[in-house]
Amino acid sequence: MPDTPRDWDGATYDRISGPQQGWGREVLERLPLRGEETVLDAGCGSGRVTEMLAERLPRGHVVAVDASPSMVAAARERLGGRVDVRLMDLQELELEQPLDAIFSTATFHWIPDHERLFGRLHTALRPGGRLVAQCGGEGNVARTRAAAEEVSARGPFEPYMRGWPGPWNFSSAELAQQRLLAAGFQEARCWLYDVTVHPPEPREFLRSVNLGSHLRRLPEELREPFVDAVYEVVGEPYRIHYVRLNIDAVA
Protein backbone atom coordinates (compact mmCIF):
# COMPACT_ATOMS: atom_id res chain seq x y z
CA MET A 1 0.00 0.00 0.00
CA PRO A 2 1.41 3.46 -0.84
CA ASP A 3 2.14 5.65 2.17
CA THR A 4 -0.40 8.32 1.30
CA PRO A 5 -1.80 10.50 4.12
CA ARG A 6 -3.97 8.41 6.39
CA ASP A 7 -7.71 9.02 6.69
CA TRP A 8 -8.53 8.89 10.38
CA ASP A 9 -11.90 8.19 12.00
CA GLY A 10 -12.70 11.80 12.86
CA ALA A 11 -15.68 11.01 15.12
CA THR A 12 -13.75 8.47 17.21
CA TYR A 13 -10.73 10.75 17.46
CA ASP A 14 -12.93 13.60 18.63
CA ARG A 15 -14.22 11.40 21.45
CA ILE A 16 -10.91 10.00 22.70
CA SER A 17 -8.43 12.81 22.02
CA GLY A 18 -8.50 14.35 25.49
CA PRO A 19 -4.70 14.10 25.90
CA GLN A 20 -4.11 15.85 22.58
CA GLN A 21 -6.56 18.58 23.54
CA GLY A 22 -4.71 19.14 26.81
CA TRP A 23 -1.38 19.43 25.02
CA GLY A 24 -2.94 21.78 22.50
CA ARG A 25 -4.16 24.08 25.27
CA GLU A 26 -0.64 24.25 26.71
CA VAL A 27 0.93 24.99 23.34
CA LEU A 28 -1.67 27.63 22.54
CA GLU A 29 -0.71 29.46 25.75
CA ARG A 30 2.78 29.94 24.27
CA LEU A 31 1.40 31.85 21.27
CA PRO A 32 0.96 35.60 21.94
CA LEU A 33 -2.10 36.93 20.11
CA ARG A 34 -3.82 40.33 20.03
CA GLY A 35 -7.01 38.84 18.62
CA GLU A 36 -6.88 40.18 15.06
CA GLU A 37 -4.26 37.95 13.43
CA THR A 38 -4.54 35.40 10.64
CA VAL A 39 -3.42 32.04 12.04
CA LEU A 40 -3.12 28.55 10.56
CA ASP A 41 -3.94 25.44 12.57
CA ALA A 42 -1.62 22.97 10.83
CA GLY A 43 -3.21 19.56 11.33
CA CYS A 44 -6.51 20.53 12.91
CA GLY A 45 -7.87 17.02 13.52
CA SER A 46 -11.50 17.11 14.60
CA GLY A 47 -11.28 20.79 15.53
CA ARG A 48 -11.28 20.57 19.34
CA VAL A 49 -8.10 22.65 19.69
CA THR A 50 -8.97 24.81 16.67
CA GLU A 51 -12.06 25.89 18.57
CA MET A 52 -9.87 27.22 21.41
CA LEU A 53 -7.66 29.03 18.89
CA ALA A 54 -10.68 30.69 17.25
CA GLU A 55 -11.89 31.94 20.65
CA ARG A 56 -8.62 33.86 21.00
CA LEU A 57 -9.10 35.55 17.61
CA PRO A 58 -12.44 37.38 17.83
CA ARG A 59 -11.36 39.87 15.16
CA GLY A 60 -8.98 37.57 13.34
CA HIS A 61 -9.12 34.72 10.87
CA VAL A 62 -8.34 31.03 11.34
CA VAL A 63 -7.43 28.66 8.52
CA ALA A 64 -7.43 25.00 9.59
CA VAL A 65 -6.03 22.24 7.39
CA ASP A 66 -5.83 18.47 7.70
CA ALA A 67 -4.96 15.70 5.24
CA SER A 68 -7.73 13.38 6.50
CA PRO A 69 -11.18 13.81 4.89
CA SER A 70 -12.84 12.34 7.98
CA MET A 71 -11.06 14.80 10.27
CA VAL A 72 -11.98 17.71 7.99
CA ALA A 73 -15.62 16.63 8.04
CA ALA A 74 -15.60 16.41 11.86
CA ALA A 75 -13.91 19.82 12.16
CA ARG A 76 -16.42 21.47 9.82
CA GLU A 77 -19.28 20.00 11.81
CA ARG A 78 -17.81 21.29 15.08
CA LEU A 79 -16.73 24.72 13.87
CA GLY A 80 -19.45 25.62 11.39
CA GLY A 81 -18.61 28.74 9.44
CA ARG A 82 -16.33 30.27 12.08
CA VAL A 83 -13.18 28.72 10.60
CA ASP A 84 -11.94 28.17 7.05
CA VAL A 85 -11.36 24.38 7.18
CA ARG A 86 -9.51 22.85 4.22
CA LEU A 87 -8.44 19.38 3.12
CA MET A 88 -4.72 19.72 2.45
CA ASP A 89 -1.41 17.89 2.88
CA LEU A 90 0.95 20.17 4.82
CA GLN A 91 3.82 19.10 2.57
CA GLU A 92 1.90 20.77 -0.28
CA LEU A 93 0.72 23.81 1.72
CA GLU A 94 -0.22 26.82 -0.40
CA LEU A 95 -2.30 29.75 0.86
CA GLU A 96 -3.47 32.95 -0.78
CA GLN A 97 -2.32 35.37 1.94
CA PRO A 98 0.69 35.34 4.30
CA LEU A 99 0.05 34.25 7.86
CA ASP A 100 0.84 36.00 11.12
CA ALA A 101 1.31 32.69 12.90
CA ILE A 102 1.15 28.92 12.53
CA PHE A 103 -0.02 26.73 15.39
CA SER A 104 0.22 22.95 15.42
CA THR A 105 -0.05 20.09 17.90
CA ALA A 106 0.23 16.29 17.57
CA THR A 107 0.74 16.45 13.80
CA PHE A 108 4.31 16.88 12.55
CA HIS A 109 5.46 13.39 13.61
CA TRP A 110 3.03 11.92 11.05
CA ILE A 111 4.79 13.80 8.21
CA PRO A 112 7.78 11.97 6.67
CA ASP A 113 9.68 14.93 5.19
CA HIS A 114 10.36 17.61 7.82
CA GLU A 115 12.70 19.57 5.56
CA ARG A 116 9.89 20.04 3.04
CA LEU A 117 7.32 20.64 5.78
CA PHE A 118 9.32 23.41 7.45
CA GLY A 119 10.05 24.97 4.08
CA ARG A 120 6.33 25.14 3.24
CA LEU A 121 5.49 26.57 6.67
CA HIS A 122 8.20 29.23 6.37
CA THR A 123 6.93 30.25 2.93
CA ALA A 124 3.40 30.64 4.31
CA LEU A 125 4.46 33.06 7.09
CA ARG A 126 5.00 36.77 6.78
CA PRO A 127 8.46 38.03 7.85
CA GLY A 128 8.52 37.93 11.64
CA GLY A 129 5.61 35.46 11.79
CA ARG A 130 5.61 32.82 14.52
CA LEU A 131 5.55 29.03 14.41
CA VAL A 132 4.47 27.50 17.72
CA ALA A 133 4.06 23.74 17.66
CA GLN A 134 4.34 20.44 19.49
CA CYS A 135 4.59 16.89 18.16
CA GLY A 136 6.09 13.54 19.05
CA GLY A 137 9.86 13.70 19.56
CA GLU A 138 12.77 11.30 19.79
CA GLY A 139 11.83 8.35 22.03
CA ASN A 140 8.09 8.93 21.74
CA VAL A 141 5.74 5.96 22.42
CA ALA A 142 8.80 3.69 22.63
CA ARG A 143 7.07 0.81 24.42
CA THR A 144 4.08 0.81 22.07
CA ARG A 145 6.37 1.12 19.07
CA ALA A 146 8.50 -1.84 20.19
CA ALA A 147 5.38 -3.96 20.78
CA ALA A 148 4.05 -3.13 17.31
CA GLU A 149 7.39 -4.05 15.74
CA GLU A 150 7.47 -7.35 17.64
CA VAL A 151 3.97 -8.30 16.52
CA SER A 152 4.63 -7.12 12.96
CA ALA A 153 7.38 -9.73 12.67
CA ARG A 154 4.97 -12.59 13.47
CA GLY A 155 3.57 -15.05 10.92
CA PRO A 156 0.29 -13.70 9.57
CA PHE A 157 1.27 -10.03 9.81
CA GLU A 158 4.87 -10.10 8.58
CA PRO A 159 4.19 -10.18 4.80
CA TYR A 160 2.17 -6.96 5.05
CA MET A 161 4.68 -5.16 7.28
CA ARG A 162 7.91 -6.33 5.63
CA GLY A 163 10.22 -3.45 4.80
CA TRP A 164 7.90 -0.80 6.21
CA PRO A 165 9.74 1.66 8.49
CA GLY A 166 6.58 2.64 10.34
CA PRO A 167 4.42 5.76 10.20
CA TRP A 168 6.30 8.06 12.56
CA ASN A 169 9.01 10.69 12.24
CA PHE A 170 10.24 11.37 15.78
CA SER A 171 12.94 14.03 15.63
CA SER A 172 15.44 15.13 18.23
CA ALA A 173 15.30 18.76 19.39
CA GLU A 174 18.72 19.45 17.87
CA LEU A 175 17.80 18.09 14.45
CA ALA A 176 14.48 19.95 14.42
CA GLN A 177 16.27 23.22 15.18
CA GLN A 178 18.79 22.60 12.39
CA ARG A 179 16.00 21.88 9.90
CA LEU A 180 14.04 24.99 10.89
CA LEU A 181 17.04 27.26 10.44
CA ALA A 182 17.90 25.59 7.12
CA ALA A 183 14.31 26.24 5.98
CA GLY A 184 14.82 29.97 6.50
CA PHE A 185 13.57 30.65 10.02
CA GLN A 186 15.54 33.42 11.71
CA GLU A 187 15.15 31.99 15.19
CA ALA A 188 14.30 28.48 16.38
CA ARG A 189 14.11 26.96 19.84
CA CYS A 190 13.24 23.29 20.33
CA TRP A 191 13.04 21.14 23.46
CA LEU A 192 11.64 17.83 24.67
CA TYR A 193 9.62 16.83 27.70
CA ASP A 194 8.11 13.55 28.90
CA VAL A 195 4.52 12.79 29.88
CA THR A 196 2.69 9.53 30.64
CA VAL A 197 -0.90 9.09 29.44
CA HIS A 198 -3.51 6.67 30.82
CA PRO A 199 -6.15 6.57 28.05
CA PRO A 200 -9.71 6.19 29.38
CA GLU A 201 -10.51 3.86 26.44
CA PRO A 202 -7.17 2.10 26.12
CA ARG A 203 -7.98 -0.43 23.40
CA GLU A 204 -9.78 2.14 21.26
CA PHE A 205 -6.94 4.62 21.77
CA LEU A 206 -4.41 1.97 20.74
CA ARG A 207 -6.48 0.99 17.70
CA SER A 208 -7.46 4.45 16.47
CA VAL A 209 -4.46 6.61 17.39
CA ASN A 210 -1.34 4.49 17.83
CA LEU A 211 -1.97 1.67 15.34
CA GLY A 212 -4.23 3.23 12.72
CA SER A 213 -1.48 3.39 10.11
CA HIS A 214 -0.48 -0.21 10.82
CA LEU A 215 -4.03 -1.47 10.43
CA ARG A 216 -4.53 0.10 7.01
CA ARG A 217 -1.74 -2.17 5.73
CA LEU A 218 -3.56 -5.30 6.88
CA PRO A 219 -6.59 -7.10 5.46
CA GLU A 220 -9.74 -6.66 7.51
CA GLU A 221 -9.59 -10.11 9.10
CA LEU A 222 -6.11 -9.45 10.58
CA ARG A 223 -6.75 -6.01 12.06
CA GLU A 224 -8.37 -6.95 15.37
CA PRO A 225 -5.94 -9.85 15.95
CA PHE A 226 -3.09 -7.36 15.44
CA VAL A 227 -4.55 -4.95 18.00
CA ASP A 228 -5.11 -7.84 20.43
CA ALA A 229 -1.53 -9.03 20.04
CA VAL A 230 0.01 -5.57 20.53
CA TYR A 231 -2.21 -4.91 23.54
CA GLU A 232 -1.10 -8.20 25.08
CA VAL A 233 2.59 -7.42 24.56
CA VAL A 234 2.27 -3.94 26.07
CA GLY A 235 0.27 -5.31 29.00
CA GLU A 236 -2.08 -3.76 31.50
CA PRO A 237 -2.56 -1.19 32.81
CA TYR A 238 -2.09 0.37 29.40
CA ARG A 239 0.10 3.44 29.75
CA ILE A 240 1.73 5.40 26.96
CA HIS A 241 5.01 7.19 27.56
CA TYR A 242 5.08 10.25 25.32
CA VAL A 243 8.04 12.46 24.51
CA ARG A 244 6.82 15.80 23.21
CA LEU A 245 8.93 17.93 20.87
CA ASN A 246 8.17 21.62 21.34
CA ILE A 247 8.97 24.19 18.65
CA ASP A 248 9.06 27.98 18.85
CA ALA A 249 10.38 29.68 15.69
CA VAL A 250 10.31 33.09 14.00
CA ALA A 251 10.30 33.54 10.21
Side-chain angles (χ1 to χ4, degrees):
M1 174 180 292
D3 290 320
T4 54
R6 164 185 163 195
D7 190 14
W8 293 61
D9 179 346
T12 298
Y13 184 83
D14 190 76
R15 189 182 77 248
I16 66 176
S17 58
Q20 287 84 350
Q21 184 183 26
W23 299 331
R25 183 179 294 107
E26 294 173 2
V27 177
L28 188 55
E29 290 174 356
R30 302 202 321 252
L31 178 61
L33 294 170
R34 300 181 305 275
E36 59 194 25
E37 296 90 343
T38 297
V39 181
L40 172 70
D41 186 352
C44 64
S46 62
R48 292 179 68 172
V49 180
T50 317
E51 193 168 36
M52 293 187 286
L53 173 63
E55 289 171 356
R56 291 193 54 195
L57 293 164
R59 302 175 306 282
H61 179 60
V62 177
V63 180
V65 306
D66 203 284
S68 163
S70 179
M71 289 290 210
V72 167
R76 285 174 175 164
E77 182 176 356
R78 172 182 289 274
L79 300 167
R82 293 178 292 163
V83 171
D84 179 4
V85 182
R86 306 185 187 185
L87 179 65
M88 188 179 297
D89 184 344
L90 287 173
Q91 294 178 111
E92 308 299 331
L93 180 68
E94 289 188 12
L95 299 173
E96 300 82 6
Q97 300 295 329
L99 301 163
D100 297 301
I102 296 174
F103 165 83
S104 183
T105 184
T107 296
F108 292 171
H109 57 268
W110 297 108
I111 297 176
D113 189 343
H114 280 185
E115 288 89 348
R116 181 174 177 81
L117 167 67
F118 293 156
R120 299 311 303 164
L121 297 180
H122 180 266
T123 298
L125 285 165
R126 64 166 177 77
R130 294 281 302 274
L131 168 63
V132 176
Q134 185 188 94
C135 62
E138 186 177 43
N140 193 49
V141 297
R143 186 180 179 191
T144 303
R145 185 176 187 177
E149 289 175 353
E150 177 183 328
V151 173
S152 294
R154 296 180 183 175
F157 313 115
E158 190 274 339
Y160 302 98
M161 301 299 187
R162 185 184 305 149
W164 184 50
W168 299 299
N169 184 357
F170 296 141
S171 173
S172 69
E174 294 77 13
L175 183 56
Q177 183 180 39
Q178 292 171 16
R179 287 169 168 166
L180 287 161
L181 295 175
F185 285 89
Q186 300 302 307
E187 303 173 22
R189 185 169 72 96
C190 304
W191 70 100
L192 301 175
Y193 80 85
D194 298 0
V195 60
T196 299
V197 169
H198 305 259
E201 298 182 50
R203 289 181 62 84
E204 189 58 61
F205 197 94
L206 178 66
R207 177 189 296 105
S208 299
V209 178
N210 301 135
L211 299 181
S213 295
H214 295 74
L215 299 183
R216 71 194 290 252
R217 303 186 70 83
L218 296 170
E220 186 70 35
E221 66 272 15
L222 289 181
R223 292 178 180 179
E224 285 307 308
F226 186 85
V227 175
D228 292 341
V230 173
Y231 193 84
E232 182 179 356
V233 170
V234 174
E236 292 185 327
Y238 183 58
R239 301 186 183 96
I240 310 174
H241 176 66
Y242 281 96
V243 180
R244 311 309 296 163
L245 170 63
N246 293 274
I247 295 172
D248 280 1
V250 179

